[in-house]
Amino acid sequence: MPKAAADAKLLIQSLNKAYAATPTNLKIIDLYVLFAVVTALVQVVYMGIVGSFPFNSFLSGVLSCIGTAVLAVCLRIQVNKDNKEFKDLPPERAFADFVLCNLVLHLVIMNFLG
Amino acid sequence: MAETEADAAAAPSAAPGRLRNAFGGVLCAFTLILIGVLAFSIRLFSVIKYESVIHEFDPYFNYRVTQFLSKNGIYEFWNWFDDRTWYPLGRVIGGTVYPGLTLTAGSIWWLVNALNIPLSVETVCVFTAPIFSAFASWATYLLTKEAKGTGAGLMAAAILGMVPSYISRSVAGSYDNEAVAIFALVFTFYLYVKTLNTGSLFYATLNALSYFYMVCSWGGYTFIINLIPMHVLLCIVTGRYSSRLYIAYAPLVILGTLLAALVPVVGFNAVLTSEHFASFLVFIILHVVAFVSYIKGLLTPRLYKMAMTLVITVGMAVCFAVVAILVALVASSPTKGWSGRSLSLLDPTYASKYIPIIASVSEHQPPTWPSYFMDINVLAFLVPAGIISCFLPLSDASSFMVLYLVTAVYFSGVMVRLMLVLAPAACILSGIALSSAFDVLTRSMKFQLSKLFDDGSAISGNGSTEATSASAVNTNSSKSENKTEKSEAAPKEKSSKKNRRKEKEVTESVPAKSKKEKRLSVLPLEASVIGTLLLIILGGFYVVHCVWAAAEAYSAPSIVLTSRSREGLHVFDDFREAYAWLSHNTDVDDKVASWWDYGYQTTAMANRTVIVDNNTWNNTHIATVGTAMSSPEKAAWEIFDSLDVKYVLVVFGGLVGYPSDDINKFLWMVRIGGGEFPHIKEPDYLRDGQYRVDAQATPTMLNCLMYKLCYYRFVETDGKGFDRVRGYEIGKKHFKLTHFEEVFTTHHWMVRIYKLKPQKNRVRAKLRKLKSGSKSSSTLAAGRKKNPWQ
């Protein structure tokens, strides 16, 4: 057990060190993803307290949070300089795709919110 | 110096290269247009042979809905409650119909009329299917191009334009969901594969929108939302995870689920039914894999191994808990969360045990072996060659094709109607197989011919032209000598690593590829010439079969029948005759009872309220009608009177030999009625297990309403009552009807309409006096028997 705890500590330290090396724009995207996921969790907890009626509003709220999180992760993948597959993709194009997809997502959400 | 020489050499041969490029593109576009025209025109046989009329049963409902949409607009359509069907229950059309087809045809009609081209709704409905089949072949071209290149794409598109299985559900006049759904299916798959290949979020968005169109169009969309997760899982398991996979799948799940929930028919089923659980499960798995690969990139290998052991021990416990909760939730519902139709697909024996309605539809029976050859013909043995070709080399797209084909083959084996889903897969793989075969054969021919003309000298360019296109300039002689040596030593089978390019098409990264390839297999000249000829003849057989199938087998509108006799063509238009009589000789609010097959046609053409129709959503209501048809006259009259029925319609083919009449369907009525009302027992209608209506038939059979309504006065036609379908004389020949009166029989006795006699004003005194003593007990006994359907 103590070995496992020491291992875990070493692990977390090295993770922190490696993560600190990522560029700032990626860290901002990560923060946004974290924010979206936390909002989704808050909504789920709220649903657990208050009940799930009207279900379509709950569904659209949670799925919009998860949706923007997923799209932000896709943006992060495309903008990351370490990614060999996307080195020909200008980051502006990636961002434009991200905005377009978000537009469609939120249009659907507005329709489904009820 | 060498560079400028190379450049100078490059410039003049780049210009013809570009010209060749352009020429190839134009030829490709022209071929695609021709394929579209072919796909459209091969479906026009029924319009030429009969008339521009809507076929079958289900299309009449779609036609009626489209009429309503064009007359009243989209808000009325969305909120429409139809009270002219399923009397007295009615049907919420807005919430139970897949709106894709009707909205598509409605918008085409609106657009065309806005441009002042006065096409009627019926014309638009009849020709929607051929137009969308042209689109479907273009979508197949795009999909196959993503997997294997332009030549395979053109081949697959040409094959799909003609494949009989698809023709059968999309002739001009077959205005059914599959007409647009197959186009949506192939287009969605194309966009998925394109996203997988390029990793572009733009195509992912388009993919989700195309999936939305598919959900709007057909209940078979569950195939997509289960196939794509299966493919993602396959890619992960075979170690082909990449970030493009994440971009292709994750947005599709979220957007797709939301869009599917928007369609009223699906609604919350998009998140609550088992058909969608696979996509969520794979979504979670994909995130886990993505996270793991991200962490792997951050840590050193030793630390990564440490992290893995730590996570697995913790993760296992959490996973176990989640799975236990999920299993408990799913197991608490009786069908484990699956709908009846999906269960009957997974377990082919399910429907016959529990849901006789689903089992009774002829399209839901398993196909016979000959129907495979009839429906996909030559493709049946080109497909395995295509599978092998997909593995050389295996890419994400080609693994998707193989998976699509394998699942489609399984489902087509369960239900005949799903051969339609197999058709695009078979066409794509056959296109790939044929194009690879042609590639090798023509390459061999070109190489052998050029060898003949050059006399085997070491001159570079020609020897390797089949390996390069015009834009490849760096043909140094050593390389070509190398190649000629290798190709002469190549074995005489076409199994080695093939060159993907075709002569006509010019592709980009040519010089790099020609350095990478190891051997080119080349066949001797005679073998390749004969091989090409044989393949072309095979294609010829396929085309002949397709045209024959389209003209003879699949173009019958089944509302008009024809037969050839010595006097020429004889037309049986009895159905429309009967519906026209109904619409002209009955009141608008009269209710008509018939078996559910004819419900859609009656509401659409006769414009009368029906009791049950082809939607078959309420089994008890159908069982009520089935019980009425199987009961003696008085009991049937009482059932029909309780439903406010005025007219009863039966279809009878005994005079002309029409085999799909109600007497042949009667046992299903008994089974379905008996499923709900236990006093109807199937063995009562069978003599020694055999279904007969002749003198050997059981008294229950000879007294039931269906027998009486079909054979009333039948003996007057030929004096003996010989039934041409069953092939013998009927049992009870001379009888009178006490509770029904015949009001109309069509020209060939195919449709017979009866009216319920109104209740007598007084009961006859003689009966009352006889029964006065035991009246109470007899009425009690009658009362117990009177309402068996409660």
Side-chain angles (χ1 to χ4, degrees), chain B residues 290-484:
Chain B
F291 191 60
V292 162
S293 82
Y294 172 65
I295 297 287
K296 201 167 181 179
L298 279 185
L299 296 177
T300 65
R302 183 184 68 92
L303 282 171
Y304 173 66
K305 233 184 286 258
M306 214 165 35
M308 274 293 100
T309 45
L310 201 66
V311 161
I312 286 180
T313 44
V314 169
M316 271 301 171
V318 171
C319 228
F320 206 62
V322 166
V323 164
I325 296 176
L326 199 65
V327 164
L329 264 177
V330 161
S332 60
S333 87
T335 56
K336 312 277 178 290
W338 295 90
S339 76
R341 289 195 177 211
S342 313
L343 268 177
S344 67
L345 277 181
L346 293 176
D347 172 17
T349 58
Y350 178 81
S352 45
K353 276 187 275 182
Y354 298 106
I355 319 176
I357 285 243
I358 295 185
S360 74
V361 181
S362 67
E363 303 180 304
H364 291 177
Q365 307 303 321
T368 54
W369 281 112
S371 68
Y372 274 97
F373 195 69
M374 169 73 172
D375 272 350
I376 53 175
N377 210 35
V378 158
L379 312 183
F381 47 84
L382 281 178
V383 156
I387 296 181
I388 294 177
S389 176
C390 271
F391 278 95
L392 325 158
L394 187 68
S395 66
D396 289 336
S398 52
S399 72
F400 179 73
M401 298 305 169
V402 174
L403 190 67
Y404 173 26
L405 180 90
V406 169
T407 45
V409 165
Y410 171 71
F411 285 124
S412 76
V414 175
M415 266 194 201
V416 154
R417 149 174 222 201
L418 295 180
M419 290 271 286
L420 183 62
V421 174
L422 174 63
C427 293
I428 293 170
L429 285 179
S430 318
I432 292 176
L434 273 179
S435 121
S436 309
F438 272 124
D439 188 32
V440 172
L441 291 172
T442 47
R443 178 176 8 115
S444 311
M445 279 202 295
K446 208 164 174 194
F447 179 67
Q448 301 283 12
L449 282 175
S450 68
K451 220 164 59 120
L452 274 177
F453 290 141
D454 286 352
D455 273 336
S457 68
I459 302 221
S460 52
N462 299 336
S464 48
T465 28
E466 67 273 22
T468 68
S469 313
S471 60
V473 200
N474 46 356
T475 57
N476 31 11
S477 46
S478 60
K479 194 161 68 77
S480 69
E481 266 175 354
N482 237 352
K483 224 176 297 198
T484 40

Side-chain angles (χ1 to χ4, degrees), chain A residues 7-8 10-11 14-15 18-19 55-56 59 63 66-67 70-71 73-74 76-78 83 85-86 93 97-98 100-101 104-105 108-109 112, chain B residues 198-202 205 209 242-244 246-247 250-251 254-255 257-259 261-262 268 271 283 287 294-295 298-299 302-303 306-307 310:
Chain A
D7 277 346
L10 182 57
L11 204 59
S14 60
L15 267 176
Y19 187 68
F55 192 57
N56 54 328
L59 209 60
L63 283 180
I66 302 188
V70 162
L71 291 177
V73 171
C74 291
R76 186 190 200 278
I77 289 172
Q78 290 183 328
N83 230 328
E85 285 166 347
F86 292 103
R93 170 70 199 266
D97 285 342
F98 170 72
L100 174 71
C101 208
V104 172
L105 175 71
V108 176
I109 295 290
F112 197 49
Chain B
T198 59
S200 154
L201 199 56
F202 173 64
T205 318
L209 290 174
S242 66
S243 41
R244 287 172 289 120
Y246 183 87
I247 297 181
I254 301 291
L255 263 179
T257 310
L258 269 172
L259 287 167
L262 268 185
F268 295 146
V271 289
F283 184 67
H287 273 89
Y294 172 65
I295 297 287
L298 279 185
L299 296 177
R302 183 184 68 92
L303 282 171
M306 214 165 35
L310 201 66

